Amino acid sequence: MHHFNHERLYCYQLAKEVVDWLNNEKFPVGRSNLKDQTVRASESLLLNIAEGASRSGPSRANHYRIALGSAAEFCACLDLLPFRNKDEQQNKLRRVGAMLSKL
């Protein structure tokens, strides 16, 4: 079976764990703007890792840089939300960020 390059990256797998966790959380009533922002940041993180892994040169670095910014934004969004286990998830995002900064 063929696997895409991003599927082999541990930073992608770890980021996907956090996104899967997020998808099981219930956002507070009246915070639809924060929900939209958090979901967009999480989607951007995964999609830019995937696209970067399929590119080379400056384009790859640019997608990983965007993904790093999305990881930071996602982490900041979680600061504003009352989710269980968010500290553990934020630590995962920090690890993803560390990995992205070295790619």
Side-chain angles (χ1 to χ4, degrees), residues 22 25 27 31-40 81:
L22 178 69
E25 290 298 313
F27 281 79
R31 300 304 304 265
S32 61
N33 60 328
L34 185 55
K35 179 180 180 180
D36 291 343
Q37 190 74 23
T38 306
V39 169
R40 281 196 312 272
L81 292 162

